[in-house]
Amino acid sequence: MTHKGYVRRRQSHQVRVDSVSIGGGAQVSVQSMTNTDTRDVESTLRQISELVAAGAHLVRVAVPDAEASRTLEQIVRHSPVPVIADIHFDHRLALMAISAGAAKIRINPGNFRSEHLDELVRAASEAGIPMRIGVNAGSLPGETVRELGVTADAMVQTAIRYIEMVQSSGFDQIVLSAKASDVPLTVEANEELARLTAYPIHLGITEAGTGRRAEIKSAVGIGHLLGRGIGDTIRVSLTGDPVREVEVARAILATWGLAPSGVNLVSCPTCGRCRVDMETIASEVGRRLKDVEGDLTVAVMGCEVNGPGEARHADVGLACGQGTGVVMRGGEIKRKVDEKDMVDELMREVHRHLQENPPEKCKDM
Amino acid sequence: MTHKGYVRRRQSHQVRVDSVSIGGGAQVSVQSMTNTDTRDVESTLRQISELVAAGAHLVRVAVPDAEASRTLEQIVRHSPVPVIADIHFDHRLALMAISAGAAKIRINPGNFRSEHLDELVRAASEAGIPMRIGVNAGSLPGETVRELGVTADAMVQTAIRYIEMVQSSGFDQIVLSAKASDVPLTVEANEELARLTAYPIHLGITEAGTGRRAEIKSAVGIGHLLGRGIGDTIRVSLTGDPVREVEVARAILATWGLAPSGVNLVSCPTCGRCRVDMETIASEVGRRLKDVEGDLTVAVMGCEVNGPGEARHADVGLACGQGTGVVMRGGEIKRKVDEKDMVDELMREVHRHLQENPPEKCKDM
């Protein structure tokens, strides 16, 4: 029971970040950012590998000084995915990052002096790479904040002013972002940007914080905009291991059918109606499904209310009753099982399903 | 930096579930469901207390048999919040639950025989309690599925048919829900229901599954509809301890400014620019903030890009640089601090802020 046609994506220009396209109907790409010291090539490349293994299509690295712009060259050379250079304050670092082979440059209008923009645009244009104009509510230009406060309007006007300057140099390889740690503010700014321009949009809730609350905040904010068709590449920002950012990003995309769902476990919350140890069964199934590759939905249901329906519509399902259950595959009852055999029998049918429907390789890029 | 005016809530009728109003501009209420055996009064009441402590405004219990409908009476009498009876298959259980004092009844059109609806509506009307017509994609009526498949249209038509039958008896104390484990399907069905009727809507993604992925799915689905103004009461469905359902529900509401935010920690994901041990600092601040009560935003930021801006706009903030940082309160720099003193000094300002802005009591209901 999947339903992938809901999201009607906004039409946007397409830019290419080396092998990855952003916008213009391309798959929504997942990106993350290393939190290693960029001057430490080995650690940075190791973290990039972890991010790619988790499903990142693009990785951004901070380039805070000249030494980092030099190590960037080696990072770019050995990274399995395109590397984006994140630049603040100093346009010379941006020029060095382009020379070092960055596949895309991110600048922040809040701290990038506009008199250097022409020079940077020329360099990006010659290198054939796009530029993200990345506005953050936490670093808007001082005069804009004094005039408009920290508002969606201030974020949008800051972006538009830079877009116009960049466009006036004949450059259109632009990606936009407008991030805040506040979700309504981020949503309002992005809806307005989406209305005013046709450039691809990079989504994120910035400085979301730590733990579960940060994940939920990101899922609500990024998920809402994606549901409205807005967003061409996404980055979840969480304090901690950036691998978690990629996992959360992919789960958000899968929820809307914008990325392969992988293994989707549907399991009921259980209630006073449940007569089997559902939580143990569902957790054990979840654990065993971790190593399974492929797109499939597995339903593990505790009672006769939604059990038969969900189990029938899943690829493989288990619907429990009074200490026993039925295992289904492809909508058909395969056998009755006792509680102790439920997980084994369900997994047997999962593997049968995968034999008959082998996972496509490299479907993901 | 909060921005609570984004969501324009759909106008809906209001129903009263004992002390809690649903719809008509009332605060979006959080509900959960016990997974204890309803016949075990003590365990069920203990779980209800845990759910209420976590922030549930309403609790639902399954009433799968006559014995459960008898114990329901004691549960209702001792519960600190209104108790909703969840009924499937047997209309006599619904009648018994009403006699037992349930504050609201939930029926499922997929398994409730319509010839008993008049009798049930009369009993609910006499008891002065509302009824939820709760449609699930996993338990739609067989003939509807044969005609329309498991679609948003099938879910909406099933709800509308029951609404019309209930209305024809002059009853309008109706709450609606249309849930699926698939987010786009749930969203489409609820958008259509919101367009077609003015009854309050109960939101949920049913059988979301286990672990982080289930939380993200719920946050995206429920969060998206709330962002579009749809939803008067919400229930997050997760396999496991239902307390987690309440925590996730409250985090979703707080993200949109639809519930008190409590303590909001803004912390940066760190990058190659960061020269302090941000993850340790942010985690330690998160831990110490756990026991803090009140609505406040605390920013913990790793560098000079967004640090000063976020820290200035937070109630209390820390912006780090090269091994040192500044602590801010109310937008003003209070002092420079070394890395080892950062957490202590930040917490000192948090407590000063709370002394000057004491948390309101009982603001929540």
Side-chain angles (χ1 to χ4, degrees), chain B residues 84-114:
Chain B
I84 304 162
D86 194 64
I87 311 287
H88 295 269
F89 303 112
D90 188 343
H91 77 290
R92 289 166 304 180
L93 294 173
L95 296 173
M96 287 191 256
I98 294 174
S99 300
K104 178 180 166 192
I105 292 287
R106 179 271 169 114
I107 62 158
N108 178 345
N111 57 38
F112 192 91
R113 285 168 58 197
S114 54

Side-chain angles (χ1 to χ4, degrees), chain A residues 3 136 139 213 239 261 267 306, chain B residues 136 139 213 239 261 267 306:
Chain A
H3 178 83
N136 271 15
S139 54
R213 185 143 171 187
T239 306
S261 62
S267 69
N306 298 312
Chain B
N136 271 14
S139 54
R213 183 143 173 184
T239 306
S261 62
S267 68
N306 298 310

Side-chain angles (χ1 to χ4, degrees), chain B residues 284-292 298 316 327 341-354:
Chain B
E284 178 60 21
V285 171
R287 250 192 307 279
R288 296 212 206 164
L289 287 173
K290 277 229 171 85
D291 300 323
V292 168
V298 178
V316 181
V327 172
D341 304 319
M342 282 173 176
V343 177
D344 288 342
E345 291 292 335
L346 185 77
M347 290 308 296
R348 200 190 308 267
E349 294 300 330
V350 165
H351 291 293
R352 284 204 185 116
H353 174 86
L354 291 171

Side-chain angles (χ1 to χ4, degrees), chain B residues 270-343:
Chain B
T270 80
C271 66
R273 192 178 295 283
C274 189
R275 297 286 174 266
V276 293
D277 182 0
M278 202 58 219
E279 189 175 349
T280 304
I281 295 169
S283 302
E284 178 60 21
V285 171
R287 250 192 307 279
R288 296 212 206 164
L289 287 173
K290 277 229 171 85
D291 300 323
V292 168
E293 277 188 34
D295 277 6
L296 88 163
T297 297
V298 178
V300 177
M301 303 291 299
C303 85
E304 59 275 23
V305 174
N306 298 310
E310 289 284 357
R312 195 174 302 118
H313 288 97
D315 296 307
V316 181
L318 169 70
C320 302
Q322 199 86 11
T324 64
V326 291
V327 172
M328 295 180 178
R329 177 159 59 87
E332 283 175 24
I333 295 182
K334 290 298 173 185
R335 72 187 59 79
K336 291 207 169 190
V337 288
D338 286 339
E339 184 161 358
K340 67 176 177 21
D341 304 319
M342 282 173 176
V343 177

Side-chain angles (χ1 to χ4, degrees), chain A residues 82-217:
Chain A
V83 174
I84 303 162
D86 194 63
I87 312 287
H88 295 269
F89 303 110
D90 188 343
H91 78 289
R92 289 165 303 179
L93 294 172
L95 296 173
M96 287 191 256
I98 294 174
S99 299
K104 178 181 167 193
I105 292 285
R106 179 270 168 116
I107 61 157
N108 178 346
N111 57 38
F112 193 90
R113 286 168 57 196
S114 53
E115 63 261 39
H116 298 304
L117 205 53
D118 268 358
E119 191 182 351
L120 182 61
V121 164
R122 214 174 311 120
S125 185
E126 278 166 18
I129 64 169
M131 180 192 298
R132 169 155 68 98
I133 298 173
V135 173
N136 271 15
S139 54
L140 290 168
E143 70 269 31
T144 309
V145 172
R146 279 187 292 278
E147 191 195 339
L148 300 169
V150 179
T151 57
D153 203 18
M155 295 166 75
V156 170
Q157 289 201 19
T158 301
I160 296 292
R161 201 157 56 88
Y162 268 70
I163 293 170
E164 284 170 356
M165 286 190 279
V166 168
Q167 281 180 158
S168 72
S169 310
F171 188 79
D172 64 358
Q173 299 299 294
I174 298 170
V175 177
L176 298 177
S177 68
K179 302 188 187 182
S181 57
D182 183 76
V183 166
L185 185 59
T186 307
V187 167
E188 197 177 332
N190 280 279
E191 284 177 340
E192 188 64 4
L193 274 183
R195 208 177 59 77
L196 293 175
T197 87
Y199 292 111
I201 289 180
H202 163 126
L203 293 183
I205 304 300
T206 196
E207 295 100 29
T210 59
R212 176 193 295 160
R213 185 143 171 187
E215 296 181 3
I216 288 169
K217 203 166 156 181

